[in-house]
Amino acid sequence: MSDYFFMLESHLTPDQFRVVNDVRNHAAEANINIFLTGGAMRDMLGGFPIRDLDFTVEGNALKLAKTLAQKTGADIVATDEHRKSVELAFPCGVQAAMGMARKEKYGKPGTRPVVSPATIHEDLRGRDFTINSIALSLNPASRGLLLDPNNGVADIEHREIRTVSNYTLYDDPTRIIRLIRFKARLGYGIAERTQSQYENAREAQLESKIPQEALGEELRHVAEDPNAGDILKALEDEKLLSLFLPALAGPKLNLAGFQKLQKARQIVPFGGEFPVENMGLFLSLLTEKLSPKERTQLFQICGVTKEELKLMQKLEPDSKKLEKVLKGAKLQKPSQLYEVLSHAPGEQILFLLVRSTERLVQDRIRNYLQKYLPAAQEVTDKEVTATKGVEPSSPKFKKVKADLIAARLDARPKKVVPPPEPEPGPAQPPNGRGGRSPQISAHR
């Protein structure tokens, strides 16, 4: 096993690592070559938390995804028949993308490419930026082998974004937005030649050829990013935010709300169970200063779905109900507060951190995120089995673990008894040697 596979394991949450192993095992059973690619590799090598898993398959990705969904209980959230790719949501909350290794040939900027199957090397050479064109083999014969045909690892080390080819932005103008999004998210610079390509593309007004469907997908990527406010500000500075809606630029962009959201997200412990439906929360803040007519225009331009719209509309009234519970006098014990918030949707908790003016509500949410949730995460399945003798397969396991967590949270911290002070003895000179100056001794 290579050092890169050990590095991957150390960067993944336990749930993510289990998903990687499930995918790897099912691909091996189907005799299909599979690789971890794209954002997962970029974030691992760049030292960022891995939020989503991206798998590339040399073969029928759709068939493998369906088999995987049947055997693991994962949901196929979206399917792109043209590019032969799917979005998967696993029961543990892990999100993953799986796509066919492919070549894309563009006729005109902004048009749908002609897609054909390819090898993993051809796929990587046809991607957008070098930092996204790195793969890690998950195959039995080459597990842990790093593939980097465009020298993306060096660009990550130099913290620089570079296009894979001279036609990257011309072929797919959506990459103009993506370039600015990655710059803001990663804090990387733009390579000199790539900057020239960007300026030429803007001069040719290629951004006007971005399809509305692609604008919607980019908006969803921004919604999922912890630094969404920084990205929106960067897009506004580059005069690209008006592509989504002209009214968004200027004072109607709710940057103050997104700054609060960014701070709220920073106190959520990484790697724990804290599922969030980000799109509804994002749209709620994004449209806060827009008129009803402007909101409708934004939803139409970006293709906001009925489900996403419903998430946004329900967020505030549902969060108000949670706020009422959190203001109640019944939550005196840490376990009681944990019980309420551990079952509350993450977007409601974040919404209240951003919007609630109740000091008690704010304090209780912060205590949950900073004290009680991390403490609960320390109670492992192994500890439950060792202390209570109940196996995870047992129907009683969930309740036994919950009781153990509650007892741990409600236990009073042990008082630290200070050691007794020594009895005073006979007086001594300051240095214990007849009053000789320590400065004089130092010159010996």
Side-chain angles (χ1 to χ4, degrees), residues 1 30 59 115 173 189 282 303 332 342 361 396 430 442:
M1 190 185 301
V115 176
F282 175 79
Q332 298 299 321
S342 63
V361 172
K396 299 179 180 179

Side-chain angles (χ1 to χ4, degrees), residues 105-113 167-174 176 201 204-211:
K105 187 175 182 180
Y106 292 84
K108 294 180 180 179
T111 58
R112 294 183 77 184
Y167 297 97
T168 295
L169 303 182
Y170 181 87
D171 284 341
D172 184 359
T174 309
I176 293 172
Q205 298 183 349
L206 289 181
E207 68 273 13
S208 65
K209 299 183 182 298
I210 300 175

Side-chain angles (χ1 to χ4, degrees), residues 25-152:
N25 292 335
H26 283 92
E29 289 176 6
N31 198 27
I32 292 177
N33 288 332
I34 191 163
F35 305 84
L36 189 66
T37 55
M41 291 302 299
R42 178 197 65 229
D43 291 343
M44 181 192 85
L45 295 168
F48 298 98
I50 297 176
R51 297 202 308 271
D52 298 316
L53 300 174
D54 300 290
F55 299 100
T56 300
V57 175
E58 286 184 330
N60 194 329
L62 299 184
K63 183 178 179 181
L64 179 61
K66 289 177 182 177
T67 301
L68 194 67
Q70 291 172 355
K71 293 186 176 181
T72 65
D75 292 325
I76 296 179
V77 180
T79 302
D80 186 339
E81 292 285 350
H82 183 64
R83 287 186 165 88
K84 308 300 181 187
S85 63
V86 297
E87 298 285 337
L88 293 160
F90 288 84
C92 58
V94 173
Q95 304 288 323
M98 182 177 292
M100 175 185 73
R102 61 185 184 268
K103 289 188 292 187
E104 296 182 351
K105 187 175 182 180
Y106 292 84
K108 294 180 180 179
T111 58
R112 294 183 77 184
V114 176
V115 176
S116 58
T119 65
I120 185 63
H121 289 88
E122 291 171 326
D123 179 281
L124 295 175
R125 290 192 180 98
R127 297 202 169 205
D128 50 8
F129 307 108
T130 61
I131 60 175
N132 294 333
S133 59
I134 306 168
L136 187 71
S137 173
L138 302 178
N139 307 303
S142 59
R143 187 170 62 161
L145 176 66
L146 191 76
L147 305 177
D148 182 21
N150 300 300
N151 206 21

Side-chain angles (χ1 to χ4, degrees), residues 382-409:
K382 289 183 179 179
E383 181 182 352
V384 176
T385 301
T387 58
K388 301 297 182 179
V390 182
E391 295 293 335
S393 57
S394 170
K396 299 179 180 179
F397 183 83
K398 190 173 181 180
K399 184 180 185 306
V400 171
K401 184 175 182 179
D403 291 343
L404 187 60
I405 290 173
R408 181 77 55 86
L409 293 177

Side-chain angles (χ1 to χ4, degrees), residues 126-427:
R127 297 202 169 205
D128 50 8
F129 307 108
T130 61
I131 60 175
N132 294 333
S133 59
I134 306 168
L136 187 71
S137 173
L138 302 178
N139 307 303
S142 59
R143 187 170 62 161
L145 176 66
L146 191 76
L147 305 177
D148 182 21
N150 300 300
N151 206 21
V153 173
D155 288 333
I156 290 175
E157 291 174 353
H158 296 144
R159 299 173 60 83
E160 192 171 62
I161 305 173
R162 179 166 56 89
T163 52
V164 168
S165 78
N166 294 331
Y167 297 97
T168 295
L169 303 182
Y170 181 87
D171 284 341
D172 184 359
T174 309
R175 294 164 176 168
I176 293 172
I177 295 177
R178 205 174 301 161
L179 175 64
I180 302 305
R181 176 162 62 84
F182 285 138
K183 179 185 176 183
R185 183 198 163 192
L186 303 173
Y188 285 8
I190 298 176
E192 184 177 349
R193 182 173 292 182
T194 300
Q195 181 65 33
S196 297
Q197 291 178 34
Y198 171 77
E199 292 170 0
N200 291 337
R202 295 301 306 276
E203 187 175 351
Q205 298 183 349
L206 289 181
E207 68 273 13
S208 65
K209 299 183 182 298
I210 300 175
Q212 289 189 356
E213 181 183 357
L215 286 175
E217 286 304 307
E218 281 301 310
L219 197 69
R220 290 176 181 88
H221 283 303
V222 177
E224 294 295 330
D225 200 285
N227 301 324
D230 293 343
I231 296 173
L232 291 172
K233 181 65 169 62
L235 292 173
E236 183 187 36
D237 291 343
E238 293 295 323
K239 296 181 172 54
L240 290 168
L241 196 59
S242 58
L243 293 173
F244 301 94
L245 181 72
L248 270 180
K252 290 198 173 183
L253 179 58
N254 186 20
L255 288 178
F258 281 105
Q259 287 173 355
K260 290 181 180 179
L261 176 60
Q262 197 161 313
K263 291 180 180 178
R265 280 173 164 160
Q266 289 173 355
I267 65 174
V268 176
F270 177 72
E273 292 186 10
F274 192 78
V276 180
E277 288 286 355
N278 285 308
M279 192 60 176
L281 178 59
F282 175 79
L283 288 175
S284 176
L285 293 177
L286 186 67
T287 61
E288 184 176 341
K289 298 184 178 182
L290 299 180
S291 67
K293 183 179 179 180
E294 290 167 341
R295 289 176 190 163
T296 302
Q297 290 175 342
L298 175 67
F299 300 152
Q300 290 175 345
I301 291 172
C302 297
V304 175
T305 65
K306 291 181 180 179
E307 291 77 12
E308 291 168 338
L309 190 58
K310 187 177 180 181
L311 287 172
M312 184 198 77
Q313 292 170 338
K314 290 179 59 181
L315 180 60
E316 184 167 2
D318 288 350
S319 299
K320 290 292 183 182
K321 293 177 183 177
L322 177 61
E323 183 181 47
K324 186 176 180 180
V325 174
L326 292 175
K327 287 163 59 178
K330 294 182 179 180
L331 305 180
Q332 298 299 321
K333 294 181 179 180
S335 61
Q336 294 171 329
L337 178 62
Y338 176 81
E339 175 66 17
V340 170
L341 289 178
S342 63
H343 290 90
E347 63 272 15
Q348 293 181 23
I349 296 174
L350 292 175
F351 182 88
L352 290 178
L353 274 178
V354 173
R355 291 279 190 86
S356 179
T357 57
E358 298 287 342
R359 178 64 181 271
L360 178 61
V361 172
Q362 290 276 341
D363 289 345
R364 282 179 165 173
I365 290 177
R366 290 179 184 277
N367 282 336
Y368 168 72
L369 292 176
Q370 295 177 319
K371 297 179 183 178
Y372 308 146
L373 183 56
Q377 291 171 359
E378 292 176 359
V379 179
T380 64
D381 291 356
K382 289 183 179 179
E383 181 182 352
V384 176
T385 301
T387 58
K388 301 297 182 179
V390 182
E391 295 293 335
S393 57
S394 170
K396 299 179 180 179
F397 183 83
K398 190 173 181 180
K399 184 180 185 306
V400 171
K401 184 175 182 179
D403 291 343
L404 187 60
I405 290 173
R408 181 77 55 86
L409 293 177
D410 293 339
R412 292 184 178 181
K414 295 181 180 179
K415 293 183 179 180
V416 179
V417 180
E421 295 185 5
E423 296 182 3

